[in-house]
Amino acid sequence: MQTTWQAILGWYDRHGRHDLPWRNTDDIYHIYLSEIMLQQTQVSRVREHFYPLFLEHFPTIGALAQATEEEVLSRWSGLGYYNRARNLHACARLAGDGLPTGYKELLGLPGIGDYTARAICAFGHNQPISVIDTNIARVLKRYFALPESTPKALLEHADKLLNTSRPRDHNLALMDIGSMVCLPKNPLCSLCPLSQSCMGIDAPETYTENKKSGYESRELYYGVMMSKGRIALVRTTGSMYKGMLTLPPLEQTDREPIASFRHSYTKYHLTVNLYEIDTLSGDDEVIWADGREMDDYPLSTLTKKALRLIYTPKGNHELQ
Ligand code: SF4
């Protein structure tokens, strides 16, 4: 295994993404934050926008613990999957001086599953533990020629390959090989440090992940009620967006919308229709917000798009 390890680390030293900010820190909170953000968001968006902005407001786990949930959700705005922010906040409040260092203890914290616990142990503490994300899984399937593989089988193979003397760099290297070389389509085997011993090199695309299911189209309906330049937003109580503010949702209607726009979210292609309304449900907590100051409120990307449309001079809606 020595030669394979050397090839992997030699490649990583020369070509790895060493400039990612969370790879240049030993602050466990920063590493943990990056892992949570990266779960559903592209590296470039996390790196250029969300990660630095969040750390500007909450530079330490203590600062995050002291913030209100509304402040945390506001700063998470645009990242989606808001339970991630709530769990991050809950962990910060439980962590005291810092997160635990052991895999099992980490698993006991809200929102920290097997992947995140492993990532914190390997990337934060250089512990000899395998990490398997989508990219690494693809590399392992091809390297070991595994057409069908359960998570358990993948982990056993990852452990076989694990370099226990430089586990942090080894895992990061496999991640980069998966995202830069062992691509889902047309992998660049001639550039791959694993090419000498890869068992799937003759037919790499045989060993790929399951195809994603297609997109689903949906229509959504929201009410727009204005007063003196402010707009009525309601507090969401459903689990995924709990605590976020949104335009008042409406039942499906045949009325002509004052504006419509398209929005894609995970596997959904949404058509969002906006309607003028003059009453609000008495059951909702209503916040009269200045829609031009969007950073002051916990809003999803969809709601921000709607507010931009409503508050744009060319929009269909007249401010009152
Ligand atoms: S040799 Fe090709 S198939 Fe094998 S791990 Fe490298 S890029 Fe993937």
Side-chain angles (χ1 to χ4, degrees):
M1 197 60 77
Q2 193 64 20
T3 321
T4 307
W5 287 352
Q6 283 167 354
I8 292 172
L9 292 180
W11 179 91
Y12 181 64
D13 289 342
R14 286 192 302 282
H15 304 291
R17 294 175 292 177
H18 303 287
D19 55 342
L20 295 174
W22 46 87
R23 292 193 184 180
N24 290 303
T25 177
D26 53 11
D27 188 313
I28 302 299
Y29 161 61
H30 292 197
I31 293 166
Y32 161 51
L33 173 68
S34 72
E35 287 301 331
I36 298 295
M37 287 187 166
L38 289 165
Q39 278 171 15
Q40 308 286 351
T41 313
Q42 288 172 338
V43 172
S44 57
R45 293 183 69 216
V46 170
R47 173 193 180 155
E48 284 153 30
H49 185 66
F50 295 110
Y51 177 81
L53 205 67
F54 197 88
L55 285 178
E56 198 181 303
H57 286 92
F58 312 114
T60 63
I61 200 161
L64 182 62
Q66 283 169 12
T68 64
E69 183 172 289
E70 180 145 330
E71 284 167 339
V72 176
L73 291 174
S74 298
R75 300 302 161 195
W76 198 263
S77 185
L79 270 160
Y81 297 95
Y82 292 90
N83 270 346
R84 291 186 294 171
R86 285 187 206 95
N87 286 331
L88 198 67
H89 190 213
C91 277
R93 292 193 159 178
L94 288 170
D97 291 339
L99 293 167
T101 56
Y103 169 78
K104 282 193 179 154
E105 293 75 23
L106 284 164
L107 274 185
L109 291 173
I112 298 194
D114 177 69
Y115 171 79
T116 308
R118 288 174 176 275
I120 294 170
C121 290
F123 304 149
H125 301 292
N126 201 26
Q127 291 173 10
I129 187 165
S130 297
V131 178
I132 305 181
D133 72 347
T134 319
N135 286 318
I136 295 181
R138 185 171 56 255
V139 173
L140 292 170
K141 282 179 193 176
R142 289 172 173 173
Y143 183 75
F144 290 105
L146 307 168
E148 300 289 334
S149 45
T150 61
K152 185 168 175 276
L154 271 184
L155 187 58
E156 283 167 9
H157 285 87
D159 287 345
K160 275 188 210 166
L161 191 61
L162 181 65
N163 181 336
T164 49
S165 59
R166 277 177 67 185
R168 176 182 185 276
D169 289 346
H170 171 89
N171 281 301
L172 291 173
L174 289 186
M175 209 171 254
D176 286 357
I177 290 169
S179 72
M180 298 162 70
V181 180
C182 193
L183 306 172
K185 284 190 177 170
N186 304 320
L188 309 171
C189 298
S190 61
L191 304 176
C192 180
L194 293 166
S195 60
Q196 293 299 316
S197 46
C198 177
M199 288 172 254
I201 193 168
D202 291 334
E205 291 185 28
T206 315
Y207 312 102
T208 45
E209 44 268 291
N210 297 334
K211 283 198 171 60
K212 284 186 182 161
S213 61
Y215 278 92
E216 277 179 38
S217 295
R218 286 202 179 169
E219 295 226 11
L220 298 177
Y221 308 87
Y222 289 101
V224 176
M225 188 167 170
M226 308 285 303
S227 177
K228 297 178 185 152
R230 292 189 165 255
I231 190 161
L233 299 177
V234 295
R235 181 93 57 195
T236 314
T237 51
S239 61
M240 194 157 123
Y241 286 102
K242 187 163 167 273
M244 307 286 290
L245 300 180
T246 176
L247 291 168
L250 303 177
E251 298 291 327
Q252 184 172 353
T253 169
D254 294 332
R255 286 166 56 201
E256 187 65 21
I258 56 169
S260 296
F261 63 93
R262 291 186 192 284
H263 181 69
S264 292
Y265 181 71
T266 61
K267 63 174 186 171
Y268 300 108
H269 282 323
L270 305 172
T271 302
V272 183
N273 300 305
L274 307 178
Y275 301 86
E276 204 152 23
I277 54 171
D278 51 20
T279 51
L280 293 162
S281 161
D283 298 337
D284 291 325
E285 179 192 346
V286 179
I287 286 90
W288 288 97
D290 183 342
R292 287 158 292 212
E293 302 293 335
M294 291 192 272
D295 286 346
D296 292 350
Y297 307 100
L299 304 171
S300 68
T301 305
L302 185 153
T303 305
K304 284 184 174 178
K305 267 192 191 176
L307 292 183
R308 254 183 236 116
L309 194 61
I310 293 163
Y311 278 85
T312 302
K314 286 182 186 164
N316 298 357
H317 195 80
E318 293 284 321
L319 293 183
Q320 292 163 21

